[in-house]
Amino acid sequence: MTARDTIFQGIRAALTPLEERAAYPDYAPAQAEPQWLAGETDLPALFQQRLAIQGGRFFDSAVACAEWLKADGATLVYLAPQLAHLAEIFAAGLPVTHEYSRPRVDEIAAAITLAAGAIAESGTVILTDAETPDRLAALAPWRHVAAVPAASLQRSIPDAIAALPADPNVIWITGPSKTADVEGILIQGVHGPGQQGCFFV
């Protein structure tokens, strides 16, 4: 067995689903919740506000999102198959595809995928393998827009942790990808989309 085989054997073993998932540690959710959140009652409005603080965009509707993509010069838009019922909206003036593959990474300028939920406290979008099987589509294009089921909006981070699904991969996205580890200069879009948006469905 070569060193390469040994490495890949270890990776495959690590990716094998656990027969029984470890229980989450006990903690007091109230202690993990910021005091200012107690006065917030309009969760959709709070989510929009926190998303904007993080540099994300909120669209009132799929139509508004499509208009922004057209104005921003998106050349090819990937629309996840779960959102096929919105195809007519996005195909009006935009080239749309429902297939995402590695050879097309450089072609697709924007992707619209279905999210598993969102967090009002932080303006975070939650992705899972179950709802977003084409994870590359959500992480590779310059523009990523998540369609968030309104009923899945969580009030706080502790609430979202308590509601974590039994999914092998859960990703929390809080605004566009950004880093400041090069001379302390904030740069967006280094490790993922440079423009992050969402709308409720």
Side-chain angles (χ1 to χ4, degrees):
M1 181 180 289
T2 66
R4 181 179 183 276
D5 293 333
T6 302
I7 291 170
F8 277 102
Q9 186 179 39
I11 292 172
R12 290 187 192 96
L15 294 176
T16 302
L18 298 174
E19 292 182 12
E20 185 176 341
R21 296 176 69 92
Y24 294 122
D26 290 331
Y27 67 97
Q31 292 180 357
E33 186 172 296
Q35 292 182 353
W36 63 264
L37 191 56
E40 298 290 341
T41 56
D42 188 343
L43 296 188
L46 176 62
F47 172 72
Q48 294 173 41
Q49 175 194 16
R50 304 301 283 187
L51 178 70
I53 289 172
Q54 300 300 337
R57 298 171 181 267
F58 183 82
F59 303 101
D60 293 332
S61 64
V63 173
C65 176
E67 291 299 324
W68 171 72
L69 289 172
K70 281 189 279 189
D72 205 44
T75 51
L76 179 61
V77 177
Y78 166 78
L79 184 64
Q82 304 100 311
L83 301 171
H85 61 285
L86 301 176
E88 189 174 334
I89 293 172
F90 288 95
L94 286 168
V96 172
T97 180
H98 297 290
E99 295 181 9
Y100 200 95
S101 62
R102 287 184 182 274
R104 307 196 75 182
V105 164
D106 292 331
E107 291 180 56
I108 296 174
I112 303 158
T113 65
L114 182 63
I119 308 171
E121 175 189 345
S122 56
T124 299
V125 171
I126 303 171
L127 303 182
T128 62
D129 278 357
E131 302 298 340
T132 313
D134 291 314
R135 195 170 3 147
L136 187 65
L139 303 178
W142 179 253
R143 307 168 187 86
H144 172 242
V145 179
V148 178
S152 67
L153 180 61
Q154 301 290 336
R155 181 170 178 272
S156 66
I157 292 172
D159 288 344
I161 292 173
L164 279 174
D167 195 287
N169 292 296
V170 179
I171 300 174
W172 288 12
I173 299 173
T174 308
S177 164
K178 46 183 105 52
T179 183
D181 60 0
V182 180
E183 297 186 12
I185 300 170
L186 182 64
I187 301 173
Q188 294 191 172
V190 175
H191 307 297
Q195 295 178 323
Q196 177 72 43
C198 72
F199 57 87
F200 289 136
V201 290

